[in-house]
Amino acid sequence: MHPATEVLHWYGLTAEAQTVVDRAENTLLAAIGRAPGELTPSQMAIAHQVDTAVAARDGRAMVLRHLLDPNASHVWRGERPQNRIASQVSTALPPRPPANAGRAVGR
């Protein structure tokens, strides 16, 4: 297969996957309604479908990126470990405000 043909093929697959993501997200929004709260089991199943569709789209996009830039090894392996460590989200609880933080000043 010619490289340009392969890029177009994977672009088509990625665009198709984006359409599936859009439909799944719209279905989830319709199921949740205007006042989201605790998800029901059927809503959670739709949310999992959205996650699956996003993962498929992202995988296809990674292949497409690799085909467009074969020197981009970070596409497959992610950032270097030392870069990921610095950007991790802390799982520690935030500090508690002082007990009198809610009281008005001067009382």
Side-chain angles (χ1 to χ4, degrees), residues 65-83:
R65 261 180 281 174
H66 177 72
L67 292 172
L68 293 172
D69 185 7
N71 296 322
S73 62
H74 64 278
V75 169
W76 301 113
R77 289 185 237 136
E79 292 182 86
R80 298 180 66 94
Q82 54 269 43
N83 294 343

Side-chain angles (χ1 to χ4, degrees), residues 16 18 29 37 58-59 73 89 91 104:
E16 182 181 303
Q18 180 60 48
L29 289 174
D58 290 351
S73 62
V89 176
T91 58

Side-chain angles (χ1 to χ4, degrees), residues 29-64:
L29 289 174
I32 290 174
R34 297 188 65 85
E38 191 79 21
L39 294 181
T40 66
S42 62
Q43 291 170 331
M44 188 60 81
I46 297 169
H48 287 302
Q49 290 175 348
V50 171
D51 286 343
T52 301
V54 168
R57 188 241 5 238
D58 290 351
R60 291 174 180 185
M62 282 179 20
V63 172
L64 186 56

